[in-house]
Amino acid sequence: MSPLAQHWPYPRWIAHRGAGTLAPENTLAAFALGASHGYRMFECDVKLSADDVAFLLHDDTLARTTDGSGVAGTLPWATLAHLDAGSWHSEQHAGQRLPRLDQLARFCLQSGYLLNLEIKPTPGTERHTGTVVAREVARLWAVHTHGATPPLLSSFSREALAAARTAQPTLPRALLLSELAPDWCQAALALQCVAVICQHRLWNAQVVEQARSGGLRCLTYTVNEESEAQRLLDLGLDGIITDRVDVFQPDA
Ligand code: G3P
Ligand code: MG
């Protein structure tokens, strides 16, 4: 087991996209709201603009969560920076911007918040996104000098995780799994991941045992029902990503 997997620095409860659906996802307003509910760790989705600025957005395209349109990763940051990423959610959040990763890093480092940074590449840019995000994280969290707990980098893209490992081998990585392919455990180990993050229905005692025997920490997404949360807690999972920051006490 890697030293980080042995001395796990991350809390069990993680707020999905900042504060689930209670605020516009992946905006600074969402992280502030998640924090106001007591959450100290946030999951969020990071990708690159056409000119390689790392910023937060879940979808490939802009239409659902901004007043823009088209594929976000084909536009320069100067264009993305002006979009309204809050009005789609509610009037109260009108004018929220797409956050850059450096803005989120400042917010987290100032208050000691931790991140699970999901690398969500624009299709076709997996390797490049993994490389640039890993370099940015190492720079922003000054991992080689300060020793601040770095974000846990995760991705469904094995290619992005492999590139992140090559760029910054010491950053912790987790493989996201929406299904259990026959090689899921070997793939996570080959990428030298410290954890796997499975869709919550995939976890059972046997899968936990397989992950643990590989020295992997066990995390899960996205858990919004109390009975399911209890089942996963009983299995001893290390991390639970939830939208329901208003329901689950993060210190539990
Ligand atoms: O990182 C866990 C979860 O966020 C993965 O799914 O689609 O919500 O990014 P998605
Ligand atoms: Mg995500």
Side-chain angles (χ1 to χ4, degrees):
M1 192 181 257
S2 73
L4 186 130
Q6 216 166 349
H7 303 286
W8 191 242
Y10 304 108
R12 177 168 284 114
W13 287 95
I14 303 165
H16 190 224
R17 306 183 195 177
T21 59
L22 299 180
E25 62 190 51
N26 289 319
T27 63
L28 292 179
F31 301 106
L33 185 63
S36 78
H37 283 274
Y39 279 70
R40 297 190 297 112
M41 183 163 175
F42 310 100
E43 185 270 357
C44 58
D45 307 288
V46 63
K47 52 172 46 70
L48 300 180
S49 66
D51 48 351
D52 281 353
V53 174
F55 71 101
L56 305 188
L57 184 72
H58 178 274
D59 298 359
D60 299 335
T61 54
L62 292 161
R64 183 177 64 88
T65 59
T66 78
D67 60 350
S69 62
V71 176
T74 62
L75 299 172
W77 176 249
T79 303
L80 297 169
H82 296 294
L83 297 178
D84 181 340
S87 288
W88 70 275
H89 181 274
S90 51
E91 183 61 30
Q92 178 198 349
H93 292 297
Q96 279 293 311
R97 300 297 175 207
L98 295 169
R100 290 192 315 264
L101 182 58
D102 64 326
Q103 294 172 306
L104 178 63
R106 203 171 316 124
F107 172 82
C108 288
L109 287 165
Q110 269 167 7
S111 300
Y113 299 134
L114 301 173
L115 285 183
N116 166 209
L117 206 50
E118 182 189 343
I119 304 171
K120 202 76 133 177
T122 301
T125 70
E126 287 78 6
R127 184 157 291 275
H128 183 62
T129 304
T131 301
V132 173
V133 168
R135 285 189 189 144
E136 268 293 273
V137 166
R139 182 181 72 81
L140 292 166
W141 272 263
V143 290
H144 302 299
T145 49
H146 288 227
T149 301
L152 175 63
L153 300 182
S154 64
S155 192
F156 290 107
S157 166
R158 297 181 186 187
E159 214 182 335
L161 286 178
R165 178 186 58 177
T166 302
Q168 290 291 335
T170 62
L171 290 177
R173 290 172 300 283
L175 181 60
L176 272 163
L177 297 166
S178 60
E179 55 189 30
L180 292 179
D183 70 339
W184 68 269
C185 196
Q186 295 96 303
L189 295 175
L191 289 162
Q192 294 170 296
C193 288
V194 295
V196 285
I197 309 178
C198 294
Q199 201 277 346
H200 63 90
R201 288 184 204 89
L202 300 176
W203 283 118
N204 57 44
Q206 193 194 341
V207 176
V208 170
E209 170 57 27
Q210 201 179 341
R212 296 256 185 248
S213 67
L216 294 163
R217 291 281 175 162
C218 305
L219 285 75
T220 191
Y221 75 96
T222 302
V223 181
N224 295 330
E225 300 294 329
E226 292 186 75
S227 58
E228 180 64 346
Q230 193 55 56
R231 185 183 78 83
L232 296 158
L233 288 169
D234 291 345
L235 285 172
L237 292 204
D238 301 292
I240 299 181
I241 299 171
T242 184
D243 289 321
R244 297 309 305 271
V245 299
D246 54 335
V247 168
F248 295 114
Q249 293 295 320
D251 45 3

